[in-house]
Amino acid sequence: LNDDLIEFKPKTKVSVGAIAPKMYNPILDLQKEQLRVLDIGNSYTDDSTHYLPTIVTASGVDVSNMCLYKAVRGGASYKHWYDIYHDQDTASYGISRVVGGLTADISGTAAVGNGEKFRNTLKNNEWDLIIIHQVSTYAPYFDRWEDNNNAGYLSKLIRLLRKNQPKAVIGFLLVHSYWSGYSGNTEKSSLQRWKLIAESAMKLRANYGIDFIIPYGTAIQNLRASSLNNEYDLTADGTHCANGLADYTAACAYFQALFAPRYGVNILGNTARITVSPTETYPSSDISVTDENAPTAQKAAF
């Protein structure tokens, strides 16, 4: 990212453990006249979409014929969304529009133990793309995603989505890794943890045919490989992306994956800039997006 090309080549081939996908996933048509996207996740969805409206506006594209909605529950795993649907979860959640001119029916109550809004969102709309991701605690550990506990329920959630949205493409959000010094980082390395997250995405693709992936976590790892990284790996609190440059890079990756191929306008040269104040747990990670550092963030995403 500092004018030198660095290639990551794994020492050993990753075994995906699959002969054929366990499900049929339709081919995503990003060029269809109207496009409706639903991102089902947690605070990492907030990280990756924080500055997306600003970037979309700066790109100059007309998004009146599409929409992106997000369903967010803090700390949500696959199982938590399955439980929300069945009125069995123990935390609140919310559903809102991120960007776009099309509207969706998200009526109903969203509260602890009440999944009405989530059910209505799935039942009362025709989504073209539904994006999911695993909670950061278990994101590196694909082998646990089918367990019958908080680390699992992948197949059950997919079947639930398929039941309500049989024509939708299932996509995936590849999240970023923790700060190397964070107590919850069992790998003690942001790079090593990201490698496991990326390998889990490879295994998901091979086992489920989920091939639309927004790799914003890889964009963050690219940014960490530049001179812009700091002692906290650009995290706000050891886990979440910091305001400013880190969230901006995540949103750049989101734009490049979803909007660039639809509208033919890539992230390179986008004029969106963000001014932030140091307010978070690690205030040195709150870095404003300027004319000087924006190109590196965009290259990290591209």
Side-chain angles (χ1 to χ4, degrees):
L1 293 173
N2 297 324
D3 300 322
D4 293 321
L5 178 64
I6 301 175
E7 295 184 10
F8 165 64
K9 295 181 179 179
K11 295 180 179 179
T12 57
K13 186 176 181 180
V14 177
S15 175
V16 296
I19 298 175
K22 298 178 181 178
M23 74 171 194
Y24 168 73
N25 203 23
I27 297 173
L28 179 61
D29 179 13
L30 289 175
Q31 300 302 317
K32 65 178 302 185
E33 184 176 356
Q34 293 188 335
L35 184 72
R36 293 174 170 82
V37 183
L38 174 64
D39 189 324
I40 302 172
N42 49 49
S43 56
Y44 281 36
T45 299
D46 285 336
D47 277 359
S48 59
T49 60
H50 184 177
Y51 299 124
L52 190 58
T54 303
I55 290 172
V56 169
T57 298
S59 74
V61 301
D62 178 7
V63 293
S64 60
N65 60 352
M66 64 89 63
C67 65
L68 167 64
Y69 279 73
K70 65 178 180 180
V72 173
R73 186 270 201 199
S77 64
Y78 303 132
K79 182 179 186 299
H80 287 124
W81 281 109
Y82 183 88
D83 287 346
I84 287 172
Y85 187 91
H86 294 97
D87 296 329
Q88 295 176 347
D89 192 41
T90 58
S92 61
Y93 68 97
I95 301 175
S96 61
R97 181 166 47 176
V98 178
V99 69
L102 301 181
T103 59
D105 181 356
I106 56 170
S107 60
T109 301
V112 177
N114 190 332
E116 181 186 36
K117 183 182 285 287
F118 183 46
R119 287 193 299 273
N120 287 347
T121 298
L122 290 182
K123 292 175 181 289
N124 298 343
N125 301 280
E126 290 188 8
W127 299 103
D128 301 295
L129 172 63
I130 299 177
I131 301 167
I132 62 174
H133 75 263
Q134 177 61 296
V135 66
S136 60
T137 312
Y138 309 117
Y141 314 123
F142 176 81
D143 294 344
R144 299 185 59 187
W145 290 2
E146 292 294 0
D147 290 349
N148 195 31
N149 52 42
N150 282 343
Y153 274 63
L154 173 60
S155 290
K156 292 181 180 180
L157 176 62
I158 289 177
R159 284 197 294 270
L160 186 152
L161 298 177
R162 276 277 168 263
K163 174 183 177 182
N164 289 278
Q165 295 289 322
K167 297 180 180 179
V169 176
I170 306 296
F172 186 70
L173 192 68
L174 195 165
V175 301
H176 69 281
S177 64
Y178 297 150
W179 165 44
S180 294
Y182 178 61
S183 60
N185 189 341
T186 54
E187 287 70 38
K188 307 303 179 186
S189 164
S190 66
L191 177 60
Q192 293 304 319
R193 190 173 181 87
W194 164 78
K195 287 181 180 179
L196 292 176
I197 293 171
E199 289 177 3
S200 292
M202 292 171 63
K203 293 176 181 178
L204 178 74
R205 176 173 180 164
N207 281 271
Y208 286 89
I210 294 176
D211 56 4
F212 181 82
I213 298 174
I214 300 178
Y216 93 79
T218 300
I220 294 298
Q221 202 59 43
N222 287 342
L223 188 66
R224 289 168 174 169
S226 78
S227 59
L228 296 175
N229 196 26
N230 71 349
E231 59 182 318
Y232 301 112
D233 289 327
L234 301 171
T235 61
D237 51 9
T239 62
H240 298 89
C241 289
N243 285 327
L245 188 64
D247 270 1
Y248 177 83
T249 302
C252 283
Y254 212 113
F255 179 91
Q256 186 61 32
L258 182 62
F259 292 84
R262 177 169 174 80
Y263 297 104
V265 179
N266 73 47
I267 192 61
L268 299 178
N270 189 282
T271 59
R273 301 293 182 263
I274 310 293
T275 300
V276 297
S277 300
T279 58
E280 297 177 306
T281 305
Y282 306 140
S284 62
S285 294
D286 294 328
I287 303 170
S288 293
V289 179
T290 65
D291 289 343
E292 288 71 33
N293 61 25
T296 300
Q298 293 172 8
K299 286 169 65 177
F302 186 82

